[in-house]
Amino acid sequence: MLTAALVLLVAAVGPALLTTLWGDPADRLTGLILAGPTATMVLLLLSAGYHRPAYLDVALVLGLLSFAGSLVYARFIGRTL
């Protein structure tokens, strides 16, 4: 589980964060939308790997906040364009 979390973190979150940092606003939104669920999956895998069910709460909160953050950023892009 821990190896899968590390591979997912490097292979998926890394490019998503690079896209979020550099690019036009639509590309940044795409990177943000991709990074949220991927980071949630990494936290779920870490929770299973360390056998700590309390870490599931952090993953669920991150999933909800990443969705809300994407909506706020999309609305902000809509106002500026």
Side-chain angles (χ1 to χ4, degrees):
M1 292 286 177
L2 297 175
T3 307
L6 178 65
V7 169
L8 187 63
L9 183 67
V10 171
V13 174
L17 288 177
L18 288 176
T19 304
T20 304
L21 291 174
W22 295 290
D24 62 346
D27 289 341
R28 289 180 180 204
L29 179 61
T30 304
L32 180 66
I33 290 172
L34 178 66
T38 307
T40 302
M41 286 301 299
V42 167
L43 287 173
L44 288 173
L45 288 171
L46 288 174
S47 171
Y50 286 124
H51 305 291
R52 301 282 179 136
Y55 292 168
L56 290 174
D57 297 337
V58 176
L60 293 174
V61 169
L62 177 66
L64 290 172
L65 289 178
S66 68
F67 176 70
S70 299
L71 290 177
V72 169
Y73 190 75
R75 186 170 178 174
F76 177 72
I77 288 175
R79 285 185 183 176
T80 59
L81 294 179

